[in-house]
């Protein structure tokens, strides 16, 4: 998960300046969207300032691989934090980012091994979708599970047939698997 990595506590632009002073981040000539990525990180930094998001960079200087810890604000997952691994492909933003849920959860639209059923990460992805817009989209997915488009069919069935049992199991998963800090 995020433990063991340095969590972004400074505003992002300060982190970039610190990396640049050590010779990082380097502009990758094979990655023409570098400027767009920096702009998206500025927008993510604004969300960090609200307390809804923490960013970590597992590999110093590599801005194309990072982790997000998102706090859910409403619904049955309210106040729990979930970790996501994000990898930016070479042809981003034309190709969507690769996002995997690292925190095991009980949810109709998420598999226990981290696959995410979210239209803007699948068929409705467009290059204009920013990394920052993914945070409220993921928060909404947790606030409003959609059992009619499931990845986890067992969770979807329980959600539809025994909602109270679903809530109990989701809470058990949160207690057991969600990061505590």
């Amino acid at each position: 998960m995020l433990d063991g990595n340095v969590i972004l506590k400074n505003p992002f632009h300060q982190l970039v300046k610190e990396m640049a002073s050590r010779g990082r981040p380097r502009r990758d000539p094979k990655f023409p969207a570098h400027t767009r990525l920096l702009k998206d990180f500025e927008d993510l930094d604004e969300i960090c300032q609200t307390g809804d998001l923490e960013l970590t960079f597992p590999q110093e200087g590599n801005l194309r691989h990072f982790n997000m810890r998102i706090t859910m604000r409403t619904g049955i997952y309210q106040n729990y934090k979930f970790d996501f691994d994000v990898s930016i492909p070479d042809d981003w933003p034309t190709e969507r980012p690769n996002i995997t849920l690292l925190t095991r959860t009980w949810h109709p639209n998420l598999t226990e091994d981290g696959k995410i059923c979210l239209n803007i990460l699948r068929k409705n992805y467009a290059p204009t979708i920013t990394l920052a817009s993914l945070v409220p989209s993921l928060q909404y997915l947790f606030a409003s599970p959609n059992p009619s488009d499931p990845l986890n069919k067992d969770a979807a069935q329980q959600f539809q047939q025994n909602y109270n049992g679903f809530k109990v199991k989701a809470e058990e998963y949160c207690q057991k698997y969600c990061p505590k800090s």
Side-chain angles (χ1 to χ4, degrees):
M1 305 290 189
L2 297 182
D3 299 333
N5 297 317
V6 177
I7 294 177
L8 175 60
K9 297 292 184 187
N10 299 337
F12 180 74
H13 63 277
Q14 289 178 356
L15 179 70
V16 170
K17 285 180 185 177
E18 290 171 15
M19 287 177 159
S21 72
R22 295 187 298 249
R24 297 179 181 99
R26 292 180 219 83
R27 179 177 288 274
D28 183 348
K30 298 176 190 167
F31 186 64
H34 184 82
T35 302
R36 159 76 190 270
L37 183 61
L38 292 178
K39 171 63 177 120
D40 276 24
F41 274 118
E42 287 177 11
D43 295 341
L44 285 170
D45 181 51
E46 290 180 23
I47 300 171
C48 287
Q49 302 309 312
T50 69
D52 280 359
L53 175 67
E54 295 174 354
L55 297 175
T56 61
F57 298 88
Q59 301 165 335
E60 185 177 327
N62 182 358
L63 297 180
R64 292 177 53 198
H65 179 230
F66 59 96
N67 297 119
M68 298 188 302
R69 177 170 284 171
I70 301 175
T71 302
M72 303 307 157
R73 294 295 177 198
T74 59
I76 61 175
Y77 303 94
Q78 183 174 358
N79 296 324
Y80 285 105
K81 298 178 182 196
F82 294 84
D83 294 337
F84 298 84
D85 181 79
V86 182
S87 295
I88 305 298
D90 289 341
D91 55 354
W92 178 85
T94 304
E95 185 180 329
R96 64 181 172 257
N98 299 309
I99 302 178
T100 304
L101 176 65
L102 298 174
T103 308
R104 191 171 170 195
T105 191
W106 186 247
H107 190 291
N109 310 109
L110 306 163
T111 63
E112 291 187 56
D113 63 348
K115 292 182 179 76
I116 301 169
C117 180
L118 185 63
N119 280 340
I120 65 169
L121 292 176
R122 299 183 336 172
K123 62 183 175 185
N124 291 344
Y125 178 77
T128 55
I129 293 173
T130 66
L131 295 174
S133 69
L134 296 174
V135 174
S137 296
L138 289 165
Q139 287 174 315
Y140 181 78
L141 180 67
F142 276 82
S144 300
N146 180 4
S148 63
D149 186 20
L151 280 179
N152 183 334
K153 291 182 173 134
D154 293 334
Q157 183 178 15
Q158 187 180 38
F159 185 94
Q160 292 174 320
Q161 296 175 357
N162 180 5
Y163 183 69
N164 287 334
F166 172 84
K167 284 179 20 179
V168 167
K169 190 165 185 174
E171 177 69 24
E172 288 172 357
Y173 271 60
C174 289
Q175 291 289 323
K176 187 172 184 178
Y177 300 112
C178 286
K180 304 299 184 225
S181 60

